[in-house]
Amino acid sequence: MPTEYPRSDVDRILSGLPLEDRIRLLSGADKWHLAGVPSAGLPPIMVADGPHGLRKEADGGDHAGITGAVPATCFPTAVTLAASWDTELLTEVGRALGREARVEQVAVLLGPGVNLKRHPAGGRNFEYLSEDPLLAGRLAAALITGIQDEGTGACLKHLAANQQETYRMVIDTVVDERTLRELELTAFEIAVREGHPWTVMTAYNRLNGTYCSDHAWLLQDLLRETWGFDGLVMSDWGGLNDRVVATRAGCDLEMPGSNGTFDAEVRNAVAAGELDEAAIDRSAARVIELSIRAAAHRDAEATFDRAEHHALARRAAAAGTVLLTNDGTLPLDPDPLADVDTVALIGAFARSPRFQGAGSSQVEPTRLDDLRTSLGARLDDRARLEYVPGYDPVTGATTDQLIADASAAAEQAGVAIVVAGLPGRYESEGFDRSHLDLPDGHTRLIEAVLATGTPTVVILQNGAPLLLPWSDRAAAIIEAYLGGQAGGSALADVLTGAAEPGGRLAESFPVAASDLPADAYFASHPKQIEYREGLLVGYRFHDTAGVPAAFPFGHGLSYTSFVYEDLDTEQDGTDVTVSVTVRNTGERAGSEVVQLYVRAVDSSVWRPDKELKGFAKVALEPGESERVTLPLDRRSFATYDVRQRAWLVEAGSFEILLAASSTDVRLRATVAIASEDQPTPVTAPTGWTADDTEFAAWLGTEVPTPDPVQPFHRNTPVADLDATPLGRRIRQLLTTAATREVARTVPEDDAATRRMFESVISEAPLRALPLMGGGRPPLKAIDALVGLLNGRVRGRVSEVIDQLAARRDQ
């Protein structure tokens, strides 16, 4: 991708800076700004959170930076956008995000997140796109393209293997290279090669023993040299482990600014010959490049149309709404309503919707549509809408009286609509879910309404898969996910047929979490997590193991019907062009997602049953047809060979499967692929998770042992301090200070954010204290504390505690 500034400008500015100033550029100026270069006329530039909407902290916002943001359009979250399978729509949403960022003088929007959904209980799954790398990568690239079309930079995150929130800042993700390359890293590769993001953010976790911010293979060998990334790499907030090692590895920028916490260590490393000054120059140059690029797109006169963006959010929410089941009750258009006097709308989310995730992506919406108001307007005088809350929207709890009121309303209605899901405290950045169930209050409510015999539509508002044991008794189930600020009006559109439910699942819904091979190795240890399921994630597991999902990957019903016809393949070496005609055979307009999977018929390399290698979304009027063409290239048939360190294609037969979901194959053909590659044979594991011997063989080394609690070090989690009497005293002091800060800055009714910070306080490493606290307590106090805890007394205990207490009293 061509740059938009002369390289000579960067070199000129860099050459005029003393070493101290170049080092200063490697850390943010504060929480949200990069350091500028005043001598060159480059002011600090601002970055802001924004995977699904701009979250720019307003003047006077809270210290934690979660609440108090300026109003911005809250688009549907990534899980909802991904369910649209619509790259054009995501580019359009990206443009709107980029435009709003430019109006607020934000240079880089921190998103999208492309980490794969290894387990449905992942706390941040609502912020990620898919369990499949092709789908996630292409959708991320579309968002990036849209954002950057408007002159705002995107930040692809979190590189890499950040699939759980539990102890995310210290956990070591142990994963074999083939799995890493074919799944997680393929999604990042596609997003980088097709989207060309200005920046990339490293993950908090370690990857096979090395913190991602320190990982030279990940950041230099793979990201820059193999994929061709030429932008800036920044740490996640408080996620830098070692500034010297990170600079050498290719992490350019520490965020947020920590008041020069690591500067002395960098200076000393240069003086000692442990860090080449050229590495500092490379990273400083990238900061300057980003500042120049941002300056070139700064526009003090930029504006956007709030109503237009709200309408786009409404359209996007409908496009990502998935109709899981339907017995014909939906849509509630005039004909079905002819004999219905009353529609019972049950569930507090109908008035107080769960419309976005919690944590750093929390947006302050410009307005908020609720289903009760929107559906009432849609029904007009055709039917009376009877609303009953059913449960508390914050806790999800219900009472016998609320259940009785809901049952009575359903019994008097022709159709009942129950809105259920997960309150914010159930899923958020910062912690993982402990189960996949609905709150007990929501389940009791659904069961009670179903027991009335009234046809019941269940709408779900949640950020990740749920267990739905009652699903076969509902007249219809709508997975609305987190629909953003216009989700209420979009749902009214879908319910009444004014819009179609355009979504298809971008993730599998299991029958039980225990079915999944990843379940035994998810959030199961505070220091280490092992990806013993290998490639068997999501539909790759369900379809390979013959363990059906409750709702499979790619599934979603329509208000019309489609047929696939006239499959044709044209081949040129390892490139294959697949064409199919899709025809709308129903009486309503609608859209279909054509999914192309590839299956190796004979292979010496063990592979999942099938893998998604192409997709297209087509919108058709009744009776209309369209010819869909999907290209497959060499990579579509390849596996990653660890021994030969290359993507190789084994000659043989491959099935081309055209499908409406991973289990709904409509047409198939077989192609013969010629290749001279000789992949290293790989046998299947004896079970659905690798045993010790198999996992060691995958890794190419012995399975590592999790780190012990002692001796203590900079990366010791605060929770581990309880191992000694002095540590317990220190932990109590730190926890008290942090809890006081949360109580002061986070509203009492924001249970999700409070729970997030409770987890972060306990699980954060000691080094994160100065990194997130503006340099206080100083790093030398942390090192002194570690020495004291390990019995190496270099000062009085009281002096160290006083330094920590100074931070508490700020």
Side-chain angles (χ1 to χ4, degrees), residues 131-440:
E131 67 187 32
D132 181 81
L134 179 82
L135 181 59
R138 288 190 177 168
L139 294 176
L143 271 169
I144 292 166
T145 298
I147 292 168
Q148 296 184 170
D149 279 351
E150 292 294 325
T152 299
C155 183
L156 182 66
K157 62 185 187 180
H158 308 87
L159 188 67
N162 178 195
Q163 271 96 17
Q164 71 175 53
E165 292 297 282
T166 304
Y167 283 94
R168 62 180 179 171
M169 297 186 78
V170 298
I171 197 78
D172 185 13
T173 300
V174 181
V175 55
D176 68 281
E177 188 177 359
R178 182 188 175 199
T179 296
L180 191 62
R181 290 275 198 151
E182 293 193 14
L183 296 186
E184 174 92 350
L185 293 181
T186 289
F188 278 96
E189 179 182 3
I190 292 169
V192 168
R193 290 185 186 274
E194 297 183 7
H196 308 286
W198 291 9
T199 67
V200 167
M201 183 186 292
T202 60
Y204 282 123
N205 53 281
R206 289 178 286 172
L207 179 60
N208 292 324
T210 302
Y211 277 96
C212 289
S213 61
D214 296 347
H215 215 300
W217 174 81
L218 186 66
L219 304 182
Q220 189 63 39
D221 298 352
L222 193 67
L223 177 63
R224 294 193 187 280
E225 294 180 10
T226 303
W227 299 346
F229 176 71
D230 65 353
L232 176 142
V233 175
M234 69 178 75
S235 74
D236 204 340
W237 265 232
L240 192 77
N241 175 56
D242 184 317
R243 174 77 274 175
V244 173
V245 177
T247 301
R248 192 184 298 126
C251 183
D252 305 308
L253 177 67
E254 171 201 357
M255 287 301 291
S258 61
N259 200 25
T261 290
F262 284 115
D263 287 4
E265 292 186 358
V266 175
R267 285 194 304 271
N268 294 340
V270 171
E274 297 169 358
L275 178 64
D276 192 334
E277 196 170 329
I280 295 173
D281 289 350
R282 283 194 298 270
S283 290
R286 289 168 186 146
V287 175
I288 293 170
E289 288 171 354
L290 182 62
S291 297
I292 293 174
R293 178 179 272 183
H297 292 285
R298 191 172 289 118
D299 182 2
E301 305 301 319
T303 61
F304 74 94
D305 187 321
R306 286 192 173 189
E308 182 181 294
H309 283 197
H310 185 79
L312 173 59
R314 181 172 179 170
R315 181 157 50 89
T321 296
V322 184
L323 184 61
L324 295 178
T325 67
N326 186 23
D327 67 359
T329 297
L330 294 180
L332 300 176
D333 60 19
D335 289 336
L337 283 175
D339 299 322
V340 175
D341 295 321
T342 302
V343 174
L345 181 60
I346 301 166
F349 282 176
R351 284 198 66 177
S352 303
R354 174 89 196 289
F355 64 98
Q356 65 174 328
S360 62
S361 66
Q362 202 161 291
V363 176
E364 182 66 33
T366 58
R367 57 179 282 192
L368 183 60
D369 296 351
D370 68 85
L371 179 57
R372 180 187 181 186
T373 302
S374 300
L375 185 58
R378 273 283 175 197
L379 294 178
D380 196 16
D381 58 356
R382 290 182 292 154
R384 187 169 64 90
L385 190 65
E386 181 73 20
Y387 167 73
V388 180
Y391 53 81
D392 182 286
V394 175
T395 67
T398 190
T399 64
D400 290 344
Q401 186 59 56
L402 287 172
I403 294 289
D405 292 345
S407 297
E411 287 171 350
Q412 299 300 314
V415 175
I417 300 171
V418 179
V419 188
L422 296 178
R425 64 170 59 188
Y426 276 72
E427 57 180 354
S428 168
E429 177 185 355
F431 58 87
D432 297 307
R433 287 192 289 163
S434 59
H435 59 77
L436 305 185
D437 298 321
L438 284 165
D440 288 344

Side-chain angles (χ1 to χ4, degrees), residues 681-705:
V682 178
T683 58
T686 54
W688 301 123
T689 56
D691 61 24
D692 288 350
T693 301
E694 291 168 333
F695 195 46
W698 289 359
L699 295 172
T701 185
E702 292 298 315
V703 180
T705 302

Side-chain angles (χ1 to χ4, degrees), residues 326-624:
N326 186 23
D327 67 359
T329 297
L330 294 180
L332 300 176
D333 60 19
D335 289 336
L337 283 175
D339 299 322
V340 175
D341 295 321
T342 302
V343 174
L345 181 60
I346 301 166
F349 282 176
R351 284 198 66 177
S352 303
R354 174 89 196 289
F355 64 98
Q356 65 174 328
S360 62
S361 66
Q362 202 161 291
V363 176
E364 182 66 33
T366 58
R367 57 179 282 192
L368 183 60
D369 296 351
D370 68 85
L371 179 57
R372 180 187 181 186
T373 302
S374 300
L375 185 58
R378 273 283 175 197
L379 294 178
D380 196 16
D381 58 356
R382 290 182 292 154
R384 187 169 64 90
L385 190 65
E386 181 73 20
Y387 167 73
V388 180
Y391 53 81
D392 182 286
V394 175
T395 67
T398 190
T399 64
D400 290 344
Q401 186 59 56
L402 287 172
I403 294 289
D405 292 345
S407 297
E411 287 171 350
Q412 299 300 314
V415 175
I417 300 171
V418 179
V419 188
L422 296 178
R425 64 170 59 188
Y426 276 72
E427 57 180 354
S428 168
E429 177 185 355
F431 58 87
D432 297 307
R433 287 192 289 163
S434 59
H435 59 77
L436 305 185
D437 298 321
L438 284 165
D440 288 344
H442 289 221
T443 298
R444 282 185 60 200
L445 179 68
I446 292 169
E447 291 284 4
V449 174
L450 289 173
T452 66
T454 298
T456 300
V457 177
V458 180
I459 297 173
L460 301 170
Q461 294 183 344
N462 49 285
L466 299 165
L467 303 185
L468 311 174
W470 39 262
S471 61
D472 60 339
R473 290 177 281 138
I477 303 173
I478 290 176
E479 176 53 88
Y481 284 123
L482 304 176
Q485 68 180 52
S489 51
L491 272 172
D493 293 342
V494 169
L495 286 168
T496 58
E500 64 155 345
R504 305 293 186 269
L505 294 178
E507 59 192 350
S508 307
F509 276 46
V511 174
S514 59
D515 285 346
L516 306 175
D519 192 56
Y521 300 95
F522 174 78
S524 56
H525 193 284
K527 300 294 178 61
Q528 181 170 300
I529 202 71
E530 299 166 3
Y531 283 31
R532 291 187 181 235
E533 73 280 4
L535 299 172
L536 296 180
V537 173
Y539 73 90
R540 285 171 168 81
F541 163 69
H542 289 291
D543 296 351
T544 303
V547 177
F551 298 100
F553 176 81
H555 170 72
L557 304 179
S558 175
Y559 289 155
T560 187
S561 55
F562 302 91
V563 296
Y564 295 29
E565 303 169 318
D566 302 326
L567 171 61
D568 182 59
T569 62
E570 294 183 8
Q571 192 170 345
D572 181 9
T574 55
D575 291 346
V576 178
T577 301
V578 180
S579 300
V580 65
T581 297
V582 181
R583 183 160 51 90
N584 183 346
T585 57
E587 298 179 353
R588 304 177 70 99
S591 63
E592 175 71 329
V593 176
V594 181
Q595 302 163 41
L596 191 164
Y597 297 85
V598 170
R599 172 188 289 140
V601 177
D602 297 304
S603 177
S604 66
V605 178
W606 175 80
R607 307 173 71 151
D609 173 72
K610 67 173 77 72
E611 297 181 287
L612 183 75
K613 297 299 180 182
F615 64 92
K617 190 166 190 176
V618 292
L620 300 171
E621 294 295 323
E624 186 181 10

